[in-house]
Amino acid sequence: MSLRSGVVALASALALSACVGGVEPPRTSSVPSLPSRLPVRQPVAATPIPPVPVAVNGSATTAVAAGLMAGPPVASLPIVGDTAARALAAFRISCPSVVRRADPTGLTRGEDWRAACDAAAGGAGDPRDFFARHFEAVQVGDGKAFATGYFIPEIAGTREYRDGYAPIYARPSDLVDVDLGLFSTDLKGKKIRGRVEGTNFVPYYDRTAIERDALRGKARILGYAVDPVELFFLQVQGSGLVRLPDGEVLRIGYDSQNGRDYTGIGKLMRDRGLLGPGQASMQGIVAWLHANPEEGRAIMRENKSYVFFRLLDGPPLGAMGLPVSGGATVAADTRFVPLGAPVFLSMDRTDATGLWVAQDTGGAIKGTNRFDTFWGAGDEAQAIAGGMSARGTAFVLVPRGTLARLGVAQPRP
């Protein structure tokens, strides 16, 4: 995606999708040993700001349709200085796009962001004061937020095939994107992917078929993952690093997806009683898959979705086509949160609580107040993201004057 792209998202450990292979391949001395992984970061509890109780419109497809309530004054939100500084830097990056982007939420117009973006470009001063001066908070729907985490993984790989390794595919030449809105106004905004077979347009190959070599001659292989399980989780993240035996690192990012529905294997495993106490994290799921390779392969293939990559020569990009920032970027559903908008998450754990900027999207990140926090690269990022599961309240920050224009009552005291 962009870093996570619209099709695959790192859901929480309980919503993680299936893995690529399921069999842990043999390690060899010529394959680099990656740093040991830190255990899941244990959260420090926090008390969220309670949302305003409202009736929920479960069929809403935009923020405005979901219902809007004024949030607290931004100056009253417990925004910590370092999170505000990171959010300001991320917002500044988003400004060239946000002032031009059409907002499907119904909340904002491009020109609404101009004053805040001009101020951000001019230095902005104290970050907390900047957000208090230029923004007002709004609760979308019931405001009840759920946040997970994602990061940039690093996996071991090679350029040459070895038995048990998993190919890292580029976008296949026969994968076709179709905008259904071009054929019917009733289908505006809906897109599908597939392939042409004779005179028919059919679904693209699923994960099982791809693992059984359906892409031979159709897709370039960028390299091979030593551990197919690690490759799967790299697919879930949407971007990552592949360290080769000579120390060279390939930076790869999302390029497309096969159009098949995403299924989270973490939930499947939990529902089937396969995960014991303390295993409902990315680290716990990976350990189970390695310990149960045959059953793991079958479970992983229940996720028919498959991600294709491209080589990157710069930093990871989010859904806006702009760089994302660890500890500042959050993925959200663009029907309910404008891309580029700041979001204050008041959650039941301190690491998720703070000011974020919606710069990314994800296939599992759907609905009002559903977020995926981005933590960057490295073991520390993995330790936090791998166990991230936070609940609380979300407030979207919109330019001052938005609530009055939309006829929303003024901020609560």
Side-chain angles (χ1 to χ4, degrees):
M1 341 205 187
S2 50
L3 182 56
R4 338 193 24 58
S5 189
V7 193
V8 176
L10 187 287
S12 77
L14 297 180
L16 287 171
S17 82
C19 300
V20 171
V23 178
E24 184 177 27
R27 304 285 178 168
T28 70
S29 60
S30 61
V31 175
S33 175
L34 297 183
S36 61
R37 303 305 187 196
L38 297 177
V40 172
R41 170 72 63 81
Q42 296 304 307
V44 175
T47 301
I49 299 170
V52 175
V54 295
V56 177
N57 178 2
S59 61
T61 58
T62 68
V64 171
L68 307 176
M69 295 290 294
V74 174
S76 72
L77 295 174
I79 301 174
V80 179
D82 58 345
T83 64
R86 289 195 298 267
L88 175 56
F91 177 72
R92 189 179 288 121
I93 290 172
S94 297
C95 274
S97 176
V98 76
V99 296
R100 300 191 307 267
R101 178 177 293 274
D103 177 11
T105 70
L107 289 172
T108 67
R109 305 163 301 186
E111 62 267 25
D112 294 343
W113 300 93
R114 184 69 64 183
C117 285
D118 287 347
D126 178 78
R128 292 184 76 256
D129 290 343
F130 167 78
F131 288 106
R133 286 196 310 272
H134 293 282
F135 293 92
E136 53 195 9
V138 62
Q139 174 185 310
V140 178
D142 63 10
K144 295 178 180 178
F146 176 53
T148 50
Y150 68 109
F151 68 105
I152 300 176
E154 179 178 324
I155 68 174
T158 64
R159 292 191 184 277
E160 300 79 27
Y161 175 76
R162 301 181 187 181
D163 186 42
Y165 290 9
I168 303 169
Y169 286 113
R171 179 186 172 113
S173 59
D174 61 341
L175 179 63
V176 179
D177 296 333
V178 177
D179 182 351
L180 296 178
L182 298 176
F183 300 87
S184 171
T185 55
D186 292 339
L187 298 175
K188 184 178 180 180
K190 297 184 181 297
K191 298 180 180 180
I192 59 173
R193 291 192 178 99
R195 61 189 177 88
V196 176
E197 190 174 86
T199 59
N200 296 317
F201 186 72
V202 299
Y204 204 73
Y205 303 109
D206 65 11
R207 179 174 295 276
T208 300
I210 291 172
E211 290 178 2
R212 291 175 175 169
D213 211 23
L215 298 187
R216 182 180 292 272
K218 298 180 176 69
R220 176 189 173 198
I221 295 176
L222 305 177
Y224 296 89
V226 171
D227 183 349
V229 172
E230 286 189 346
L231 175 59
F232 170 73
F233 281 95
L234 191 150
Q235 286 190 316
V236 175
Q237 304 293 334
S239 173
L241 308 175
V242 181
R243 186 172 296 278
L244 304 179
D246 61 2
E248 182 184 359
V249 174
L250 302 179
R251 183 185 295 274
I252 61 174
Y254 175 93
D255 196 22
S256 192
Q257 183 258 5
N258 63 347
R260 299 291 189 131
D261 289 340
Y262 172 96
T263 298
I265 63 163
K267 185 177 187 303
L268 292 181
M269 295 169 69
R270 182 186 60 177
D271 291 346
R272 295 171 188 176
L274 301 177
L275 299 175
Q279 288 185 300
S281 66
M282 185 185 69
Q283 291 85 340
I285 294 171
V286 169
W288 191 96
L289 295 171
H290 284 161
N292 303 273
E294 295 303 323
E295 190 174 2
R297 176 193 287 118
I299 290 174
M300 293 186 292
R301 286 180 172 175
E302 292 188 51
N303 177 32
K304 300 180 185 299
S305 174
Y306 200 93
V307 173
F308 307 111
F309 294 100
R310 61 188 174 94
L311 295 176
L312 303 177
D313 56 7
L317 305 179
M320 303 177 78
L322 299 169
V324 292
S325 307
T329 293
V330 70
D333 188 333
T334 57
R335 298 173 301 168
F336 303 102
V337 179
L339 270 181
V343 178
F344 183 76
L345 298 182
S346 180
M347 310 302 281
D348 59 4
R349 51 188 288 170
T350 57
D351 47 9
T353 296
L355 195 58
W356 303 81
V357 178
Q359 296 177 302
D360 215 346
T361 59
I365 311 305
K366 298 299 182 185
T368 55
N369 305 301
R370 174 69 172 95
F371 300 95
D372 207 14
T373 54
F374 175 57
W375 295 95
D379 284 357
E380 185 77 5
Q382 178 176 338
I384 299 173
M388 176 57 66
S389 180
R391 296 186 182 276
T393 306
F395 298 105
V396 179
L397 271 56
V398 293
R400 279 189 174 274
T402 300
L403 299 183
R405 176 173 57 79
L406 295 175
V408 178
Q410 290 307 298
R412 59 191 182 186

